[in-house]
Amino acid sequence: MEGEQRQLRVKTFQSAEPLLRLNPSAGHLAAITPFRSVECVHGGRRVTLPAVIDRSLPNDALSMSSKAAEQLRLTEYTWQMPAGVSRGRIQFGPLIGILSNPRWDKDAKTLRNTSQTQSLKRLVEAGCEHGAVCFVFNILSVNLRKGTVSGYVLHEGKWYRRELPLPDVIYDQLHSRKLERDKDVQGIREALSMRYGEKLFNDGFFDKWQVYDWLKDDLTVRDHLPKTQRHSTFSSAVAFVNAHAVSFLKPLHGSLGLGIARFVKHRDGSLTYELKQKTSSILRGKGSSAKEVLSAFRTRLKNRPYIWQEGVPLATYQQRPADFRILMQRDQTGDWKRTKMFARVAKSGDFTSNLSGGGDAMPVDDALAECLAKADQRTRAKNQIRRLSRQVVDALEKNSGRTFGELGIDLGLDTSGKVWIIEVNSKPRKAPTTDKGRQDLVDLSFERPMRYAIYLATKTAK
């Protein structure tokens, strides 16, 4: 955004004519002279308004007619909002839209309290704290022809539904894969992706095979990938399971560890398996051969796409599987930063470490102290985790041709101290509070993507 950034309190006065009133200081910055008009920008909305100097206005105020406010869709913003004033131009905002799946409660006249509502509230608050106007919206509420979107703004702790211009930047926080598969959603998403480019960041979900394909082409990370293949035929699946002591079957588009199966081969050729059906439900079984066991998975394998992944002999914490989650995010400089790094330990009897399934989070040093006996091993492993997490984001962006604002990277550590890439998540879930971790880092994890969104908005306005 060009010019001086200033907080202006927007007021309206009743008039059927569009008109803008500025105090002398703002008028000077906007180069206002008699009969001169000013271009006013609010998100995707652009309106040229006649402007006059009003010496009765304080320096933090801007007044516009109800007609002008209506044209800019600023009528509802009668509280503090930022505006950048430059020669012949005033830009309100930046306007940041957070794409999610908000649901309106007609009776309570506010958003329904879902598992994501508090996180969305914290994101909006973080954006506003750093000078943006933020709202959340459902992709089906976008009207591309009119250039508008029905969104939800937060004011004094309460949500309001308002008709808004399309935002300057979109931060994709839509966590519903079911909604992603909707044809109407796919059509609007494609149009938004074309329209916004890098200004729509973390667009969509990752495909596990696609991520593997991007990473294996990079020499710096290739050696840290377990052997992986996309499921194709029953016979190739039997061959893969027979070739490895431990194998994992993972849904191509799965999340939260759901739908993952682990197969363990024994010396006599028999197999045992575990299938994560729900966050708290594991189905167990066994068979005399891979062919016999996998026969029970034939229908499942036909109904959705999967990948097969070699099971790495990971180090454990108190006999429980452990891995490491690194949250990488861009900040107001546009550069990647490591925001959080912690260990995740599966609950007793589980083979996945997802926190949603009952896993525990703990400091990396605490987990490493039990996983590796020697101090120098632990130091090397920690350095390797830090280095590899940065190499992963660089490799993904280079080989995908896409730009991301944040990535959740899951790394595993084997018994020799080598670090392995388990998974990369384009929608890392963030809770606004923590019982065991550092609250300042939790706050930072909400602040950084919003500051990156503001960076994108101001960068593209220059």
Side-chain angles (χ1 to χ4, degrees), residues 138-155:
N138 187 306
I139 195 167
L140 293 175
S141 70
V142 172
N143 189 320
L144 290 167
R145 183 178 59 83
K146 291 184 177 179
T148 61
V149 56
S150 179
Y152 304 93
V153 297
L154 186 68
H155 179 52

Side-chain angles (χ1 to χ4, degrees), residues 130 329-337 339 405 444 446-459 462:
H130 291 284
Q329 295 178 310
R330 279 194 158 96
D331 65 4
Q332 68 275 11
T333 68
D335 295 330
W336 281 106
K337 301 291 171 60
T339 302
L444 188 60
F446 284 85
E447 178 183 321
R448 277 183 165 164
M450 300 313 295
R451 296 192 75 175
Y452 176 59
I454 295 169
Y455 160 81
L456 289 177
T458 56
K459 171 188 172 186
K462 293 181 180 178

Side-chain angles (χ1 to χ4, degrees), residues 87-130:
R87 187 174 182 84
R89 190 170 192 249
I90 297 175
Q91 183 167 355
F92 299 90
L95 188 61
I96 308 299
I98 303 171
L99 172 58
S100 56
N101 189 25
R103 299 177 183 179
W104 186 250
D105 188 324
K106 293 181 180 179
D107 295 330
K109 294 183 179 179
T110 189
L111 287 185
R112 292 182 184 175
N113 191 21
T114 68
S115 60
Q116 199 183 5
T117 305
Q118 291 305 309
S119 294
L120 294 173
K121 179 176 181 289
R122 186 66 195 100
L123 285 171
V124 168
E125 290 171 343
C128 293
E129 287 165 7
H130 291 284

Side-chain angles (χ1 to χ4, degrees), residues 192-237:
L192 289 174
S193 297
M194 291 287 290
R195 181 178 185 136
Y196 279 86
E198 69 169 4
K199 291 190 293 179
L200 196 174
F201 65 96
N202 284 64
D203 185 10
F205 287 98
F206 278 159
D207 168 325
K208 288 184 177 64
W209 177 250
Q210 188 179 56
V211 170
Y212 173 77
D213 207 34
W214 288 331
L215 292 178
K216 73 177 177 59
D217 289 337
D218 192 282
L219 295 176
T220 60
V221 302
R222 181 187 298 168
D223 189 46
H224 297 273
L225 291 167
K227 291 181 181 177
T228 305
Q229 72 178 35
R230 185 165 184 171
H231 176 74
S232 55
T233 64
F234 183 79
S235 59
S236 66

Side-chain angles (χ1 to χ4, degrees), residues 286-320:
K286 60 183 179 179
S288 60
S289 66
K291 188 173 183 179
E292 178 186 333
V293 167
L294 293 184
S295 292
F297 285 78
R298 280 184 182 272
T299 301
R300 182 178 294 270
L301 290 169
K302 288 179 181 178
N303 288 341
R304 61 190 298 193
Y306 286 88
I307 62 166
W308 288 98
Q309 193 173 79
E310 173 191 12
V312 176
L314 296 179
T316 60
Y317 180 91
Q318 297 178 356
Q319 287 76 54
R320 293 182 289 163

Side-chain angles (χ1 to χ4, degrees), residues 18-22 32-38 49-53 90:
L19 181 64
L20 183 69
R21 291 175 177 168
L22 297 171
I32 296 299
T33 58
F35 310 109
R36 181 180 176 89
S37 295
V38 179
L49 298 172
V52 297
I53 301 298
I90 297 175

Side-chain angles (χ1 to χ4, degrees), residues 241-311:
V241 171
N242 280 328
H244 301 97
V246 178
S247 306
F248 285 90
L249 178 66
K250 297 182 176 182
L252 208 64
H253 304 289
S255 60
L256 305 178
L258 301 180
I260 293 179
R262 180 175 71 164
F263 301 85
V264 179
K265 187 177 69 171
H266 303 283
R267 290 184 178 180
D268 62 356
S270 65
L271 269 81
T272 54
Y273 69 85
E274 299 168 285
L275 172 63
K276 190 76 173 281
Q277 293 182 305
K278 298 178 181 178
T279 55
S280 59
S281 173
I282 298 178
L283 176 67
R284 293 179 170 86
K286 60 183 179 179
S288 60
S289 66
K291 188 173 183 179
E292 178 186 333
V293 167
L294 293 184
S295 292
F297 285 78
R298 280 184 182 272
T299 301
R300 182 178 294 270
L301 290 169
K302 288 179 181 178
N303 288 341
R304 61 190 298 193
Y306 286 88
I307 62 166
W308 288 98
Q309 193 173 79
E310 173 191 12

